[in-house]
Amino acid sequence: MNEQKHSVKQILFTIWRAVYPLLIYLGWSYVASFVLCFIGIFIMMYQSQGAMNPQQMTTELTDFIYRNVLPATIATQLLTMPFVIWFYRRDQRKNTAVTKKADLHPLDIIVLIILSVSCCISLNGLINYSHLADLFPGFSQVAASLYTSSRFLQIISMVILAPVVEEMLCRILSYNRLKETFKPITAMILSSLFFGLLHMNVVQGVYAFGIGMCFVLIYEKTRRIFMPMLAHGIANAVSLLISNNSSERLFKLSLTAEMAMVAACTVLLIGCVIYFVRIHREPDNSPVQ
């Protein structure tokens, strides 16, 4: 459906419907951060018996919050889950069109795995070469808080919960709602942009936008919810592997070896994208369930 045929009011309403579930997620994240901050203050006041000066308390509180980012993230994901499921079921009840799912073959799963791994490595390498993290140093603090936490919490949050919650938010809800008014390619770009903005920092936002475009392409072409969730989980697992086994270079490789690996992964990524674009049927505006 051509967005030019819709009024500005309808377009804005569609965007609002696509965005407000993400705002609920962000709202819960702020609630979790506030509770975490309150707990930190209580613990420090109890341990110091009120003898800690304001500067020392600020330093200790900041350190406490960064150490507990993942537990707060897990709480946010769990609190958001019921809302996401409710929105999804409500959208399903309103939708009376027949769902058309593309045939799924074993090769699709293999290509999805290759795409997820190659996209993660390619984007991480390209972002490293761009020195984007040097321009926006706030990312280093976020990365340190995420990748120095317990491996168990990393897996629970980033490999299990994040793929489910974020794919439900950005692909199942946001993308489908945008596609009611916009062309599929426009809906893909907007939902991926929202996915990037959800990460709240430039470096992660650029990465999330790029990988989000791959996830939404998989979703549109296969019309199965678990496919982008699987791709997301694999990509996050690879990202954890890279972050926990790298210093300045990916997997501690030499610069030449790293560049060769990033180039190879970029070629593989392009090939996988072409596979999903060319092998599966052209996208239409029938709802995806």
Side-chain angles (χ1 to χ4, degrees):
M1 187 178 295
N2 195 326
E3 53 264 39
Q4 293 179 349
K5 296 180 181 178
H6 297 284
S7 67
V8 173
K9 182 178 179 180
Q10 186 173 355
I11 290 173
L12 292 177
F13 179 69
T14 298
I15 292 175
W16 166 248
R17 289 187 67 244
V19 167
Y20 78 77
L22 280 66
L23 296 179
I24 291 174
Y25 177 86
L26 291 177
W28 278 123
S29 72
Y30 283 116
V31 170
S33 299
F34 176 80
V35 172
L36 181 63
C37 185
F38 180 81
I39 292 172
I41 292 173
F42 177 80
I43 291 173
M44 285 181 286
M45 292 293 290
Y46 176 79
Q47 291 178 342
S48 66
Q49 299 296 318
M52 189 178 294
N53 63 61
Q55 184 176 359
Q56 185 180 2
M57 177 175 287
T58 301
T59 302
E60 292 288 336
L61 181 61
T62 302
D63 182 61
F64 175 82
I65 291 173
Y66 276 120
R67 288 199 314 270
N68 292 279
V69 163
L70 270 185
T73 302
I74 291 172
T76 300
Q77 291 163 337
L78 292 175
L79 288 168
T80 306
M81 188 81 74
F83 291 90
V84 170
I85 293 172
W86 184 71
F87 289 144
Y88 171 62
R89 289 180 175 175
R90 188 180 65 174
D91 285 1
Q92 276 191 314
R93 286 195 297 269
K94 290 181 178 179
N95 171 28
T96 57
V98 177
T99 301
K100 298 177 181 178
K101 293 182 179 180
D103 293 333
L104 204 61
H105 304 285
L107 183 59
D108 296 339
I109 304 295
I110 296 172
V111 175
L112 178 143
I113 294 171
I114 296 172
L115 182 149
S116 305
V117 174
S118 61
C119 188
C120 177
I121 294 174
S122 177
L123 288 176
N124 270 290
L126 294 174
I127 288 173
N128 283 344
Y129 301 148
S130 71
H131 298 289
L132 200 60
D134 296 332
L135 298 175
F136 301 95
F139 169 71
S140 300
Q141 292 179 321
V142 175
S145 63
L146 291 176
Y147 299 119
T148 57
S149 300
S150 157
R151 295 287 186 273
F152 175 74
L153 292 180
Q154 289 179 11
I155 292 171
I156 292 296
S157 176
M158 301 173 68
V159 180
I160 298 174
L161 290 177
V164 174
V165 175
E166 292 177 4
E167 291 308 306
M168 289 291 288
L169 282 170
C170 296
R171 254 61 68 180
I172 315 306
L173 291 176
S174 181
Y175 173 64
N176 279 341
R177 290 178 174 186
L178 287 167
K179 218 169 61 156
E180 293 173 3
T181 299
F182 296 98
K183 293 178 180 178
I185 185 61
T186 306
M188 286 180 179
I189 294 171
L190 287 175
S191 63
S192 299
L193 178 62
F194 297 155
F195 182 50
L197 293 174
L198 190 66
H199 289 76
M200 302 295 286
N201 71 78
V202 174
V203 178
Q204 281 185 303
V206 170
Y207 174 86
F209 175 81
I211 207 164
M213 287 293 292
C214 293
F215 295 158
V216 75
L217 173 66
I218 292 170
Y219 181 41
E220 171 63 27
K221 290 297 184 174
T222 63
R223 302 184 176 277
R224 283 170 169 79
I225 294 172
F226 77 90
M227 290 289 279
M229 290 180 179
L230 177 61
H232 196 152
I234 293 170
N236 280 6
V238 174
S239 183
L240 283 177
L241 190 63
I242 291 173
S243 299
N244 291 323
N245 294 278
S246 301
S247 52
E248 293 184 359
R249 306 257 72 88
L250 297 179
F251 299 115
K252 300 179 181 178
L253 298 172
S254 66
L255 178 60
T256 302
E258 180 194 62
M259 292 181 69
M261 182 175 67
V262 171
C265 286
T266 302
V267 172
L268 283 173
L269 173 60
I270 294 170
C272 292
V273 168
I274 292 173
Y275 171 86
F276 278 108
V277 170
R278 297 291 297 274
I279 297 300
H280 285 280
R281 58 185 170 79
E282 290 299 313
D284 57 37
N285 284 318
S286 61
V288 186
Q289 297 181 359

